[in-house]
Amino acid sequence: MTFRQFYDDWAPRQLWVPSTRANADLAVDSVAFGDLPMKAIRRSHIETWVKAMSAKWAPTTIKTRFVIVRSVFRAAVADRVIAADPSDGVALPRRRKVEAAMRIPTVEQVGRLLAHADSSRVSTRHGFRAYVALCAFAGLRKGEAAGIQVGDIDSSLRRLTVSRQLQRDGSTFVARLPKYGSERLVPLPDDLVEMLRQHIETFLPEEPPPDAWLFTVGDGPMYDNDIDWRWRATRTSAGLPHVRLHDLRHFYASGLIAAGCDVVTVQRALGHSSATTTLNTYSHLWPTAEDRTRAAAADLMNQALNPASRG
């Protein structure tokens, strides 16, 4: 049995969403050993493949494809098709540190993006400002913001229920649970609640039902490419072509951390599967022990030198 034959038999049984299957197909299509018998594939084949990818792709992309191919070999070991996984021990290109790769927009930049999100000249971009605000001030992922319905907004309690995400499925869309099952309640600031209220009043029919999509294109929800081109137009108009939509989620997280929120609070707000995920992503943003010691000493010194400050 060749690598490709094993994959074609194994892949349909996996509990994958369409986007995961598409990524897996791309990874398998990229290998040069697809037609080799599974038992003939050696570690050297994997290393040659990784080396070839390193000339074209970023380390994160290479790791994603490698993990998929490795899972195929591990499945073959579990099925006793091969005795050992030839991908064991293969070195991957070094990735940049999280703190070096992460780009966090400034408050001024986010303000410019919001100011340019609703184009006065392009009617199809009307209403996109509220979408950008949900990403920047509630930390929603692209598909989560697309999946918001009117009934998910609780104006009286000032919170948002995140219970679905929209993903492309061929030429249409499919609603799924959020990434890693991260359903959650997100507290909303008053100004965002008011912006969402005005959005509903302006862009949705009078008294929309609870299951009405908050962001629409024609008769359906706004998703995938609908969002991408609006975002590109927004950042170009704002003069910020380097800012990614996902950077707004980093902006939200950094704001929570700067305000003194603990790890668990940030984890729940972002919908991470564990506090470890939050720390792995944002640990460099939290004050270090040295920072806290310096701040405490400064407070003590201020009190000692300024009696009036002691109250």
Side-chain angles (χ1 to χ4, degrees):
M1 179 180 287
T2 66
F3 178 84
R4 184 78 212 198
Q5 288 170 336
F6 181 84
Y7 173 76
D8 289 341
D9 177 68
W10 170 78
R13 300 196 301 272
Q14 307 312 302
L15 300 177
W16 288 340
V17 298
S19 59
T20 302
R21 175 58 192 268
N23 287 333
D25 288 345
L26 283 174
V28 170
D29 288 343
S30 72
V31 304
F33 45 81
D35 294 330
L36 288 180
M38 289 292 284
K39 294 181 180 179
I41 299 174
R42 302 289 180 261
R43 176 171 166 174
S44 58
H45 292 106
I46 315 298
E47 291 173 334
T48 301
W49 169 59
V50 170
K51 180 72 173 181
M53 286 196 296
S54 66
K56 298 187 296 183
W57 305 109
T60 51
T61 301
I62 294 172
K63 182 178 180 181
T64 298
R65 294 192 174 187
F66 175 81
V67 168
I68 291 169
V69 169
R70 183 179 60 187
S71 68
V72 179
F73 285 119
R74 290 182 173 180
V77 172
D79 270 1
R80 300 183 180 179
V81 173
I82 53 177
D85 175 5
S87 68
D88 275 348
V90 173
L92 299 179
R94 183 176 297 178
R95 292 183 296 170
R96 296 176 66 193
K97 290 184 177 180
V98 172
E99 55 266 36
M102 183 177 294
R103 295 176 293 187
I104 302 176
T106 65
V107 172
E108 185 271 336
Q109 289 174 333
V110 172
R112 283 164 58 187
L113 289 165
L114 288 168
H116 289 83
D118 280 357
S119 172
S120 60
R121 293 174 297 153
V122 185
S123 61
T124 50
R125 267 173 55 201
H126 291 174
F128 194 59
R129 182 168 179 257
Y131 180 94
V132 174
L134 274 180
C135 296
F137 306 119
L140 270 60
R141 301 177 177 95
K142 172 184 170 181
E144 291 174 344
I148 295 300
Q149 297 178 344
V150 172
D152 297 329
I153 304 168
D154 190 328
S155 299
S156 60
L157 296 178
R158 295 174 299 167
R159 67 186 187 190
L160 178 73
T161 299
V162 180
S163 60
R164 75 188 68 80
Q165 63 171 325
L166 296 190
Q167 294 183 333
R168 172 175 290 280
D169 187 6
S171 60
T172 183
F173 70 92
V174 61
R176 300 187 184 278
L177 292 175
K179 190 177 183 180
Y180 306 128
S182 56
E183 300 105 313
R184 62 195 184 276
L185 292 175
V186 181
L188 300 178
D190 291 339
D191 288 344
L192 182 53
V193 172
E194 176 59 21
M195 182 183 294
L196 295 177
R197 186 196 65 78
Q198 292 180 4
H199 175 89
I200 292 172
E201 184 178 280
T202 304
F203 299 104
L204 273 64
E206 188 174 353
E207 296 185 7
D211 62 351
W213 300 109
L214 188 62
F215 304 106
T216 59
V217 175
D219 296 328
M222 179 179 69
Y223 69 98
D224 200 53
N225 290 341
D226 299 325
I227 297 168
D228 291 343
W229 83 258
R230 285 170 171 79
W231 174 248
R232 288 194 296 269
T234 295
R235 67 185 189 180
T236 298
S237 181
L240 300 168
H242 63 283
V243 180
R244 304 172 305 168
L245 184 60
H246 197 75
D247 292 340
L248 298 182
R249 182 169 162 84
H250 296 326
F251 170 80
Y252 175 71
S254 67
L256 297 184
I257 294 169
C261 294
D262 58 56
V263 175
V264 174
T265 299
V266 177
Q267 172 206 342
R268 291 173 177 170
L270 293 174
H272 283 157
S273 57
S274 68
T276 301
T277 301
T278 306
L279 284 172
N280 287 342
T281 308
Y282 298 111
S283 61
H284 63 286
L285 297 180
W286 262 282
T288 64
E290 184 177 297
D291 294 329
R292 290 191 292 269
T293 300
R294 185 180 294 108
D299 185 55
L300 288 172
M301 186 173 181
N302 179 58
Q303 294 184 48
L305 296 178
N306 300 285
S309 68
R310 297 198 295 266

